[in-house]
Amino acid sequence: MNTEEMKKLVAKEALKYIEDDMIVGLGTGSTTAYFIKMLGKMIMNEELFDVYGLPTSYQARILALESGVPVVSLDEVDAIDIAVDGADEVDPHLNLIKGRGAALTMEKIIEYRAGTFLVLVDESKLVEYLGQKMPVPIEVIPAAWRVIKEELEVFNATADLRMGVKKDGPVVTDNGNFILDAKFERIEDPLDLEIELNNIPGVVENGIFADIADIVLVGTKEGVKKLER
Ligand SMILES: O=C[C@H](O)[C@H](O)[C@H](O)COP(=O)(O)O
């Protein structure tokens, strides 16, 4: 089974958690994209009723609308039943790094408030400690990017301003900010670092999601593994 097949497998498994009348946080990225398309099919086939998606990005919103998932915004809902999203790294305590797609801020706003936060990954995302393979994306106010990059040296981190691929210059997030990708040597205490980074003036949010994932579905060659806190 290849990586894409593993992503599809976990996306299909995630549908089992969706019931009628739910508000569902819709994550960003390639794994959740499979979930959104499958969810749209179930809604269109009348296998689910009164399910609304709450997108975490323009990518999720556009895909949901194309797939037949009706969308709502955060200020229209009283509660979020479940949020479904991918991750870039998952440690043994189910702490995460997210934000490869630069959607970390809206993802955290929604997933922090969801009744259940369900994470979908393939097995390549499992790590012994956060920071093992991926940098921590940090969304910053554009005017402050250079001073924050320097201030991150206090944490022994080296940070790069994320550059666009089909755009000249830096990536601009859905919120109009920049992203610094910060490489840390080894993140011993994710919760502590998450809080400390957010204390730097000019930081909007960072991609450490400590203590908020409830369930992680891992796509492996042998099938789906369920990890729970
Ligand atoms: O900003 C992007 C998100 O945090 C994604 O959920 C994360 O990068 C995982 O994406 P993918 O499922 O494509 O690996």
Side-chain angles (χ1 to χ4, degrees), residues 73-117:
S73 49
L74 187 55
D75 51 8
E76 291 177 284
V77 300
D78 295 324
I80 306 160
D81 297 290
I82 186 168
V84 180
D85 202 355
D88 305 316
E89 283 191 350
V90 180
D91 81 3
H93 307 285
L94 308 192
N95 298 310
L96 317 172
I97 289 181
K98 289 183 49 54
R100 179 206 46 78
L104 60 141
T105 299
M106 204 58 197
E107 288 178 337
K108 199 181 283 186
I109 288 172
I110 289 173
E111 288 150 16
Y112 176 84
R113 294 174 169 84
T116 304
F117 177 26

